[in-house]
């Protein structure tokens, strides 16, 4: 089959493409490179307005005056110049309701072109969208990425996340749902809000390329190395304030037994190089399930602090720890870290189980096959 994947910001679609190509399919990936710079076949990244110094200054001035981002227009222009390459596919999958990040008006125009010129279009529920944000705002999760925004809607990521509950994004959501065959949730943070929704399929886990992510058994010679990667734009969304508070306590409590590496917004390759040295990776707090960074770290055999709530354990029928559930509670994080520091053999055991879990539930070729089955039967 010829398959078009639209959007990329976590390596999800790259890994899915790799699985599909291994199974003999032709795949084209179009998207907007963020700071992680994932590979794309067609990039709609607004490099003129974002990389050219003078044009970027002009863009910033226009934004201050009119709250309008010229880079979003350039994204649509780059889509338009490549539009003839985006027709006649057997299957199209959008990574999200807002996959190219232009203005809502231009996003609809681009998506409408895709809908009209291809056979079957599916939607992945991955990242902030109308359904998940509204579910969070109704307080139906015990905690979520909107928890820091309650009473402080201008905090960090909040304006960007909360906009998905507003009318323009509701209309975009309805437009996309009307023109796609089904929505496929990628983890429990998106599957739970879509439970019993007539447009939703069963959850298909994110694909992880276990062929390229090599498992390295954890060896603890002297100090235990803890890695904390921070994307400053999503500082509160990922719960980094909980991690940083906990690490201050851990540093004082175990000054000779731990090394702490903190890495702020950086290219994906640099980030990976640093966390490859670690035993423990602090990923995120305010989720029920794992995102892409956590899964890739688990594939390498790291002990990852991330979402691993009771709903996750029940879904995968787990009786042993494969990653540590990072609660929005500094004392809880300190206690979990302290236990591992004082019981280093448990670090090795969890790392081994983490890799086995990824191989069983997230193998990229097996997941690609599940997508193919879903696309074909709908």
């Amino acid at each position: 089959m010829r398959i078009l994947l639209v959007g990329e910001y976590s390596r999800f679609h790259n890994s899915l493409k790799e699985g599909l190509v291994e199974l003999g399919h032709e795949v084209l990936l179009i998207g907007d490179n963020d700071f992680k710079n994932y590979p794309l076949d067609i990039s709609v990244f607004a490099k003129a307005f974002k990389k050219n110094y003078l044009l970027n200054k002009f863009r910033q001035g226009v934004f201050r005056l009119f709250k309008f981002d010229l880079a979003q227009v350039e994204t649509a222009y780059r889509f338009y110049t490549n539009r003839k390459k985006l027709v006649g596919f057997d299957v199209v999958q959008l990574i999200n309701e807002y996959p190219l990040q232009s203005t809502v008006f231009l996003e609809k125009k681009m998506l409408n072109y895709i809908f009209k010129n291809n056979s079957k279009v599916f939607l992945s529920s991955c990242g902030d969208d109308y359904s998940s944000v509204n579910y969070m705002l109704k307080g139906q999760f015990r905690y979520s990425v909107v928890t820091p925004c309650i009473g402080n809607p201008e905090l960090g990521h909040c304006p960007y996340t909360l906009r998905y509950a507003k009318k323009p994004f509701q209309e975009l959501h309805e437009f996309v749902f009307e023109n796609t065959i089904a929505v496929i949730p990628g983890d429990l943070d998106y599957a739970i809000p879509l439970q019993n929704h007539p447009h939703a399929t069963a959850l298909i886990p994110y694909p992880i390329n276990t062929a390229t992510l090599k498992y390295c058994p954890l060896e603890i010679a002297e100090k235990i190395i803890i890695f904390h990667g921070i994307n400053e734009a999503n500082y509160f969304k990922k719960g980094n304030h909980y991690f940083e508070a906990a690490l201050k306590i851990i540093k004082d409590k175990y000054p000779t037994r731990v090394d702490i590496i903190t890495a702020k917004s950086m290219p994906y390759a640099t980030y990976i190089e640093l966390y490859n040295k670690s035993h423990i990776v602090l990923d995120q707090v305010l989720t029920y399930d794992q995102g892409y960074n956590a899964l890739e770290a688990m594939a390498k055999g790291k002990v990852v602090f991330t979402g691993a709530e009771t709903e996750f354990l029940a879904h995968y029928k787990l009786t042993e720890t494969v990653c540590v559930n990072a609660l929005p509670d500094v004392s809880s994080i300190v206690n979990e870290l302290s236990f591992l520091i004082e019981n280093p053999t448990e670090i090795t055991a969890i790392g081994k189980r983490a890799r086995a879990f990824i191989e069983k539930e997230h193998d990229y070729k097996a997941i690609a096959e599940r997508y193919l089955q879903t696309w074909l039967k709908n």
Side-chain angles (χ1 to χ4, degrees):
M1 287 199 299
R2 295 185 68 239
I3 300 161
L4 174 64
L5 302 176
V6 182
E8 176 67 299
Y9 42 68
S10 65
R11 213 185 182 283
F12 165 28
H13 267 173
N14 267 277
S15 298
L16 180 58
K17 175 184 174 180
E18 288 158 5
L20 292 166
V21 169
E22 286 280 342
L23 296 174
H25 300 279
E26 179 186 342
V27 185
L28 186 75
L29 173 54
I30 178 173
D32 173 20
N33 288 334
D34 67 1
F35 72 92
K36 295 175 183 173
N37 199 31
Y38 296 114
L40 297 168
D41 299 308
I42 297 174
S43 173
V44 294
F45 178 70
K47 61 183 179 182
F49 278 112
K50 290 185 177 180
K51 294 295 185 181
N52 182 285
Y53 178 80
L54 291 176
L55 285 176
N56 193 31
K57 284 292 183 184
F58 176 67
R59 168 198 171 209
Q60 291 172 21
V62 170
F63 187 80
R64 280 194 295 271
L65 288 172
F66 304 107
K67 302 300 178 189
F68 183 79
D69 190 352
L70 289 168
Q72 293 181 307
V73 178
E74 185 182 347
T75 293
Y77 168 74
R78 292 187 181 281
F79 176 94
Y80 178 80
T81 60
N82 286 286
R83 69 193 185 282
K84 292 181 181 178
K85 302 173 186 175
L86 307 174
V87 302
F89 287 85
D90 301 302
V91 171
V92 178
Q93 178 164 284
L94 314 179
I95 200 167
N96 179 270
E97 295 172 3
Y98 187 40
L100 299 173
Q101 304 279 300
S102 185
T103 67
V104 171
F105 174 79
L106 291 173
E107 195 84 11
K108 283 184 181 178
K109 293 289 185 184
M110 292 186 285
L111 292 178
N112 193 51
Y113 181 85
I114 287 171
F115 296 148
K116 286 187 172 181
N117 288 284
N118 294 282
S119 299
K120 301 170 79 172
V121 184
F122 291 81
L123 170 67
S124 170
S125 183
C126 169
D128 293 341
D129 59 27
Y130 177 79
S131 298
S132 63
V133 172
N134 273 281
Y135 190 89
M136 295 174 202
L137 287 171
K138 291 174 184 174
Q140 293 179 269
F141 283 124
R142 294 184 293 281
Y143 53 83
S144 71
V145 297
V146 305
T147 300
C149 309
I150 305 303
N152 197 357
E154 296 304 314
L155 179 71
H157 69 285
C158 297
Y160 300 94
T161 294
L162 296 177
R163 64 182 174 165
Y164 287 91
K166 296 180 179 177
K167 188 174 181 180
F169 283 92
Q170 178 183 359
E171 292 174 350
L172 177 61
H173 159 81
E174 291 168 352
F175 172 70
V176 172
F177 268 48
E178 286 168 6
N179 287 280
T180 50
I181 292 171
V183 56
I184 308 168
D187 69 42
L188 288 167
D189 293 290
Y190 307 106
I192 292 171
L194 290 168
Q195 277 181 330
N196 304 317
H197 194 293
H199 201 57
T201 71
L203 183 156
I204 301 180
Y206 299 126
I208 299 295
N209 190 334
T210 48
T212 58
L213 292 168
K214 300 301 182 184
Y215 169 62
C216 299
L218 295 176
E219 296 179 0
I220 302 169
E222 295 179 1
K223 292 185 177 182
I224 291 166
I225 302 170
I226 303 171
F227 178 82
H228 181 206
I230 299 174
N231 174 351
E232 292 174 292
N234 285 329
Y235 181 83
F236 292 100
K237 185 176 186 179
K238 300 294 184 182
N240 288 298
H241 49 306
Y242 297 108
F243 284 142
E244 290 208 306
L247 287 174
K248 285 181 182 178
I249 296 170
I250 290 294
K251 191 173 183 179
D252 290 338
K253 189 175 178 181
Y254 303 102
T256 62
R257 296 178 67 177
V258 298
D259 274 338
I260 297 169
I261 300 173
T262 300
K264 297 189 176 179
S265 299
M266 60 181 58
Y268 178 76
T270 308
Y271 173 95
I272 294 297
E273 183 182 351
L274 286 171
Y275 94 32
N276 277 344
K277 301 174 182 177
S278 68
H279 303 103
I280 297 171
V281 173
L282 305 185
D283 175 57
Q284 59 182 325
V285 174
L286 299 167
T287 62
Y288 280 26
D289 201 343
Q290 299 93 58
Y292 232 82
N293 284 347
L295 294 170
E296 291 194 331
M298 289 167 66
K300 291 187 174 184
K302 307 299 183 187
V303 175
V304 184
F305 279 59
T306 185
E309 267 295 351
T310 53
E311 289 85 348
F312 161 74
L313 300 176
H315 180 80
Y316 290 103
K317 299 179 175 60
L318 294 171
T319 57
E320 293 184 294
T321 301
V322 298
C323 54
V324 179
N325 190 29
L327 294 171
D329 180 310
V330 173
S331 296
S332 172
I333 295 169
V334 169
N335 289 339
E336 294 283 4
L337 284 169
S338 297
F339 173 77
L340 293 171
I341 292 163
E342 293 170 13
N343 298 275
T345 56
E346 189 62 19
I347 294 176
T348 306
I350 294 172
K352 189 180 293 184
R353 291 196 296 268
R355 173 66 182 200
F357 171 76
I358 297 298
E359 289 178 348
K360 180 183 178 187
E361 304 291 354
H362 291 273
D363 177 74
Y364 72 121
K365 285 189 279 190
I367 297 300
E369 185 60 51
R370 288 177 65 176
Y371 271 97
L372 288 167
Q373 291 171 5
T374 299
W375 294 336
L376 290 170
K377 76 179 181 183
N378 284 281

